[in-house]
Each structure stands twice: as C-alpha cells, then as structure tokens.
Amino acid sequence: MSERYDAIVVGAGPAGSAAALTMAQNNISVLLLERGQYPGSKNMYGGNIYSLPTAQIIPAFWEKAPWERKIVTEEIWFLNRDSAVKAGFTGLRFGKAPYNKFSALRPKFDSWFANEAVRAGAILRCNALAIDLIWDKIGLVAKKVDGIILDSGEEIRADVVVLAEGALAFLAQKAGLRKPLMAHSYTHYVKQVFGLPREKLESRFNLEKDEGTAIGMVGFATAGMIGKGGLWTNKETIGISTGGYLSQMVTKGLSPLHLLNRLTSHPLIKRLLEDAELLEYKSHMVPKGGYQKIPALIDHGIMVCGDAAMMISGRRGTDLAMLSGKAAGESVAEAHAKGSYTKDILQTYENKINHSFFLQDIRNGKASKLYYEHHPDSDYLLTKLINELAYKFFSVELKSNTELMQDMKEIVINLQPMDKTLKDLYHGIFNWGVF
Amino acid sequence: MDNDLQRKNEENPLNFVKIVPDDQPHIWILNDNLCLTECENKPCTYVCPSRVYYWEDQSIKILHTRCIECGACIWGCPYENINWNYPRGGYGICYQY
C-alpha cells in the first residue's frame, strides 16, 4: 500500500521549504523530499540571505533563524594585479531590525527552514532522490502528474508535485517543462570556506559584534571572464568564491579551482585570509538563461519554482526561490479548495510570477546577457582602465595638473574606442548592481 | 606564476569536502570514440572543479566518488557526451558550511 499526499515537494532548499511551509499552513498534507542527508547538504550560494523577502515567508525570522552576521557594509572591488579600485557603503541602519541582509550557512539555515515547514505539519524525508514522475491519464490524450518515483523504485502518489529540485532540473526537463540549456546559460561557481577566530575576523574587517561585510569583485577575480568574485563574513568563517559563464570557462580553458586559488593568492585577498584555516571547498551552477529560457511553470498536476524555474536575477536567487515557492504553495492551497489541479487551475501561480517585481528584472536583464555573450572582455578592460587611471590620479609626479589630465585622457583613448568603453560601462553598472 | 602552477598540480581539493561514496557510478561517457576523434580540448578535464575526469590510454577515465555534483560537465562537454545523474539519495557530497 503506497502513501498518498495532497502534494509532494521535490527538494528542501529555499524554494521547496517555502512551498511546503505555505501548504502546511493551509492544512494541506505535504511530503517534502530531500536527496541529501539533511537540507542544505547539497547546496552552495553566495553567502547572504535577504531580510525583506525572507520575512514574507517567516515574519521576524531573524529572532529564531540561524544567521551568522547582519551585513552593514558592502563593497565592490575592481581588482587588478596589484591594485584595487573600491566602492563601498556602510549603513548602520542595516544593523537594526528589520535589517537588510544576513550572512548564513546553507546547511544550518536550510535545515532550520525545512524544520519550520515540519513544525507547520509538513513531512520531511531526507536521503530521498526522486528520479521520475508518475503520469495518469485524465482524458483521451491529456495526462496529469500524480506522484513521483524514488531511486529505490518506491512510488509515492500525490495530487500535485512541486519541483524545487534546483539548478539542474532533471525532472522539469523530463516533464517537458524546461528545455535543455547550453553552456552559455549557466554560470559556474566555486567557493572556499576559511575558519578564523571571531575577534580576529572582526578586527580584520573592522566590524562590531554580529556585524558583517560582503565584498563583490570583478576583474582579476575571474581572469578575463564575465563573472564575479565574492567574499562574505560569517561568525567565525569567511566564504570566498569566484566563477562566471561556463561557456567562457570551456573556451578559455579555465579551471575553476585554479581560478579560486589564483584569487586567494592575490596580495590584497591573501592578507584577509592570513592565518585562516581552509575548511571546505564547494561548487555549484546557477542557471542564467535569462527570460527566454524560463521554463513553462505549470502543467497538469505539476509546478516548478526556484532555480529549477530559473528565478534568478543578478545576485538574487535564494530570495526569489523562496518567493516563488511561496507563490506555488498559495496556488496549491487555492487549487486544493477547488478540488482540482489541472493546468488552468494552477494558472494562478504563473500569473503571480508574471506580475512579480523579479520577473520584470529578469526580463530587463536579457539585453545585458546578450551584450556579454558578444563582449566577454568588457569587465576585464574596464577594471584595467580604472586601475590605471587610479594609479595616475593618486601618483605624485613632477607634472602639472594639465599634463596629468592629458595622460589620463590618453589612457582612456588608448584602451579601446571610446563608445565601446561607454557601452561596457553602461552594461557593467547593471551587471554589478545587485551584489 | 610558477608557484601557481606548482599548487595546481599538488593541491587536492577533496581534502576539504565530505563525500559519502556510492559504489554505484552515476556518470558515464556515452561514446568513447567521440572523445578520441572529435574532442580536441577535453573541457571535462578542466571545468570539473574536483577533477573527476582524466585522460589516459586514449580515453576519458571517470572517478565518480570525487564528484561534488555541480553538473558543470554535463553542459561543459561540447558533444553532450556525458550521461550524468545524481548519486542515489543520501550519497555523494555532504556540505558542512
């Protein structure tokens, strides 16, 4: 005798747990499946969760969630071989409720988040990999998803299946919702986590207790590839990552591990990691297909959310996963009340996503993505340019100011045609924007 | 960059990951001949962050227990010649941080 639920959620990451929590709060029987030993055991992200979106799912979550530091300082570094032009902001208001961003470790945070769904009534099952969907006929030709099959062969039935399976989205592809992507539709990141005693970390990054900093890096960090480096401070650990478009890694012959080691050996990064002990190495991909590659979000008895649905905009992904998971959960609750999970009933989910602020961002992001496909060198050239300008600007020389200005003008003109520099800058500002 | 190169060859990223090894492989090359005759650069050998793939005796060898499940090889392979699946539930990478 196989079990039967109202809903099965595949994947206990931010999207899946938000969906399961929302459903459980609406008295829907929901099974939350996680292929890892615990939620978060397979995940990697930049390093920050965002307060406002997360509070949409769990109000005042910061009072109970296992966060590491509240982020009050954010910087972007244009990193060159032996120099960096830095822009930054410290806002102490971000250190008080309702806060802005927190650093958090995924195994801890995801386990807590999934447990919130369990406390609301969801059933969590770990070590459970769903490898296929069960389809039932609902007419002459129409089929409806009616459950999943685990890797053990076990079948579990449910009226609706919510796929929150993450970036690779095998089931969404199997269901025909997502088309296979190409290497240029993914960014590939690697990360290392270093341990450093609390007092040392706080004095090194100029932080008071519980305050944190996040640094984004372009230029040297990606060795001429379009991508980003990042550094995040946790309680007693520092996360540092780098990566970029997989397609560029392939054509440029870049090894991500080598890239990361190159970054951590940079003289300005090395000093931040001095005496720190390497604790973990991880890797992950982000589906960056943009608006055109977003899958069909629904079919009869099935929905897709989070990374699997490519709900990614700039650096934002974890929070959009939660918001899309919540929207999916709400639509399941509405469908449950109507007693039907056909495509036209689940349409409410698609409508919610289509009217969300983040889909607008994803839609607007496509011009930038296209630009970078054709101008993969733009970040590198800009970083080189502003570092050379800065060296000139800050150098004390035996020249008049007029001569110095002339020198700087020449640096700009000699780099590449002026209009290309301006275009690079225009797209760069959008691309670096959300860190 | 001599130092870098030395590090590249000596480092073992797997000292810093916890993997629950599955005796059943989850990665296969679909057509060995394609790697030999068509694939010039063999990107799987460098885009894989944990060096699951290496070239030996005219074919790609796979060490599936080194896999940290990012999926880069699936789309990094220019010939879509890698059949990659998740390891069974509970096996594989198990991140702590």
Side-chain angles (χ1 to χ4, degrees), chain A residues 179-360:
Chain A
K179 303 259 178 317
L181 300 178
M182 310 281 276
H184 59 70
S185 299
Y186 281 100
T187 51
H188 181 204
Y189 284 89
V190 283
K191 183 176 181 180
Q192 279 172 339
V193 181
F194 292 86
L196 192 68
R198 195 177 182 128
E199 313 78 62
K200 254 194 185 165
L201 191 150
E202 283 169 358
S203 74
R204 188 166 298 176
F205 290 90
N206 199 14
L207 300 167
E208 305 254 289
K209 187 176 178 293
D210 292 342
E211 285 178 355
T213 188
I215 303 171
M217 287 168 262
V218 290
F220 183 92
T222 58
M225 179 175 58
I226 296 297
K228 282 169 199 156
L231 185 150
W232 293 266
T233 55
N234 302 310
K235 258 193 197 106
E236 297 196 293
T237 54
I238 299 167
I240 182 158
S241 83
T242 187
Y245 282 101
L246 177 63
S247 50
Q248 294 187 15
M249 256 179 220
V250 170
T251 51
K252 287 173 190 274
L254 294 170
S255 141
L257 173 62
H258 187 217
L259 212 58
L260 185 57
N261 283 337
R262 181 174 168 274
L263 178 61
T264 53
S265 313
H266 187 283
L268 294 176
I269 303 297
K270 207 173 172 178
R271 67 188 63 187
L272 296 176
L273 300 173
E274 204 182 331
D275 301 328
E277 179 200 3
L278 180 55
L279 299 172
E280 191 162 63
Y281 173 60
K282 44 205 321 191
S283 175
H284 205 73
M285 289 220 295
V286 183
K288 276 271 172 82
Y291 184 63
Q292 273 138 343
K293 296 282 169 61
I294 289 182
L297 298 174
I298 50 166
D299 200 344
H300 299 303
I302 187 165
M303 312 162 90
V304 194
C305 53
D307 274 12
M310 306 183 61
M311 294 292 130
I312 307 277
S313 173
R315 274 265 144 152
R316 299 181 70 164
T318 296
D319 60 333
L320 308 188
M322 289 182 193
L323 292 174
S324 63
K326 183 179 186 240
E330 286 167 354
S331 291
V332 168
E334 289 158 24
H336 185 69
K338 290 178 188 152
S340 166
Y341 294 92
T342 53
K343 198 173 170 180
D344 49 320
I345 300 282
L346 297 179
Q347 188 75 42
T348 53
Y349 170 57
E350 201 172 78
N351 293 345
K352 275 179 207 151
I353 298 296
N354 282 338
H355 290 102
S356 65
F357 71 90
F358 49 88
L359 202 77
Q360 212 174 326

Side-chain angles (χ1 to χ4, degrees), chain B residues 3-21:
Chain B
N3 233 349
D4 262 14
L5 203 63
Q6 197 180 352
R7 261 181 83 174
K8 186 182 167 176
N9 294 328
E10 281 174 7
E11 75 211 355
N12 182 4
L14 294 181
N15 291 340
F16 305 99
V17 288
K18 184 187 164 195
I19 292 175
V20 184

Side-chain angles (χ1 to χ4, degrees), chain B residues 46-92:
Chain B
Y46 58 82
V47 298
C48 172
S50 55
R51 301 222 186 92
V52 167
Y53 304 89
Y54 66 99
W55 182 253
E56 198 179 75
D57 299 332
Q58 310 282 308
S59 71
I60 289 288
K61 300 287 186 296
I62 300 171
L63 300 167
H64 75 274
T65 53
R66 293 177 64 95
C67 180
I68 57 175
E69 298 163 39
C70 65
C73 55
I74 308 170
W75 290 279
C77 174
Y79 299 94
E80 295 178 26
N81 196 24
I82 298 173
N83 178 6
W84 192 96
N85 306 277
Y86 287 126
R88 290 181 295 162
Y91 289 99

